[in-house]
């Protein structure tokens, strides 16, 4: 009914079941997940993309095959961004590109040079043209993946506690304060202090500004054993 799509009862079968055929062309890569290193300079590396087809699936000449890598937010009608992905400066990778190799009559390897910065992390799809006249179309990997993933490496952000956190506590009550951060060491030797002042008068570097003291206990008498009320006495 379009209102509660998470409930199975909201869905109905329409028409007859249909079968989705196996992809004719698939790709495999020397690295289907690429990690970017360096926060300012681009990471330049090469990735081999091998496109294969089942025997006798089509009869196009592998030497005419073309490949390009496009941002997954776009479609295969867009040109490859040659500032990020390059095959010798061309808009797509083909037989004239460096590293182009025909493995068999049904497989070709393209070498794509990646030049990526931290801001280029994301997913990219492989667009393929078999020169049959249908143009470029996205193809999946041999394992069913839709995209090449470009990710930031672990530890891109500096280690430590996040700044600017705010906390709420009730006066006269015990409050647990959860301080979050990135790649914090455990166990940690870090400490926190609460400042009695606020605004421009607060001085985190001055111990004199911290005027909090432990809450005094209401009961200061140590417990004793009542032998007369104990069994056996």
């Amino acid at each position: 009914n379009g209102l509660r799509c998470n409930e199975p009862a909201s869905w109905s079968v329409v028409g007859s079941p249909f079968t989705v055929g196996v992809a004719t062309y698939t790709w495999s890569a020397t690295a289907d997940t690429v990690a970017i290193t360096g926060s300012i300079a681009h990471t330049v590396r090469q990735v081999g993309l091998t496109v294969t087809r089942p025997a006798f699936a089509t009869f196009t000449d592998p030497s005419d095959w073309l490949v390009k890598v496009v941002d997954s937010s776009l479609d295969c009608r867009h040109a490859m961004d040659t500032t990020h992905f390059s095959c010798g400066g061309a808009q797509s990778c083909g037989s004239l590109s460096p590293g182009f190799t025909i493995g068999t009559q049904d497989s070709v390897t393209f070498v794509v040079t990646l030049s990526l910065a931290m801001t280029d992390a994301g997913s990219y799809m492989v667009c393929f043209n078999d020169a049959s006249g249908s143009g470029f179309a996205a193809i999946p990997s041999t394992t069913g993946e839709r995209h090449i993933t470009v990710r930031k490496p672990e530890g891109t952000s500096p280690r430590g506690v996040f700044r600017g956190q705010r906390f709420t506590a009730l006066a006269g009550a015990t409050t647990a304060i959860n301080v979050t951060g990135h790649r914090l060491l455990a166990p940690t030797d870090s400490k926190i202090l609460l400042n009695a002042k606020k605004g421009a008068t607060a001085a985190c570097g001055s111990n004199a500004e911290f005027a909090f003291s432990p809450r005094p206990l209401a009961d200061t008498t140590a417990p004793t054993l009542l032998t007369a009320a104990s069994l056996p006495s």
Side-chain angles (χ1 to χ4, degrees), residues 150-226:
V150 177
R151 62 173 178 81
K152 296 179 181 180
E154 295 293 333
T156 300
S157 301
R159 185 193 301 271
V161 175
F162 295 143
R163 304 294 180 180
Q165 299 183 59
R166 296 177 179 272
F167 310 99
T168 301
L170 180 65
T174 300
T175 302
I177 297 178
N178 182 26
V179 180
T180 58
H182 178 66
R183 300 172 60 225
L184 300 177
L185 298 176
T188 179
D189 58 356
S190 300
K191 301 176 179 64
I192 63 170
L193 291 173
L194 301 179
N195 195 328
K197 294 186 177 182
K198 62 181 180 179
T201 60
C204 290
S206 173
N207 290 333
E209 303 293 339
F210 300 95
F212 290 90
S213 58
R215 183 181 179 184
L217 298 176
D219 185 4
T220 58
T221 304
T224 58
L225 177 63
L226 301 177

Side-chain angles (χ1 to χ4, degrees), residues 9 22 31 46 50 57 68 78 87 90 115 122 136 154 160 164 170 207 210:
V22 178
Q46 291 183 328
T50 300
K68 61 182 178 180
H78 289 75
C87 294
S115 180
F136 281 95
E154 295 293 333
L170 180 65
N207 290 333
F210 300 95

Side-chain angles (χ1 to χ4, degrees), residues 7-29:
E7 296 183 4
S10 297
W11 295 85
S12 300
V13 177
V14 178
S16 302
F18 60 91
T19 301
V20 178
V22 178
T24 303
Y25 298 97
T26 57
W27 59 266
S28 60

Side-chain angles (χ1 to χ4, degrees), residues 16 34 57 69 107 143 220 225 231:
S16 302
V34 179
V69 181
S107 68
T143 58
T220 58
L225 177 63
L231 293 176

Side-chain angles (χ1 to χ4, degrees), residues 97-186:
S97 303
F100 178 89
T101 305
I102 297 179
T104 67
Q105 193 59 28
D106 298 307
S107 68
V108 166
T109 297
F110 305 86
V111 177
V112 184
T113 300
L114 282 62
S115 180
L116 303 169
M118 290 295 178
T119 54
D120 300 322
S123 298
Y124 297 85
M125 60 184 174
V126 176
C127 297
F128 175 72
N129 185 345
D130 67 353
S132 63
S134 57
F136 281 95
I139 59 175
S141 73
T142 54
T143 58
E145 300 293 330
R146 297 179 56 196
H147 304 132
I148 296 176
T149 302
V150 177
R151 62 173 178 81
K152 296 179 181 180
E154 295 293 333
T156 300
S157 301
R159 185 193 301 271
V161 175
F162 295 143
R163 304 294 180 180
Q165 299 183 59
R166 296 177 179 272
F167 310 99
T168 301
L170 180 65
T174 300
T175 302
I177 297 178
N178 182 26
V179 180
T180 58
H182 178 66
R183 300 172 60 225
L184 300 177
L185 298 176

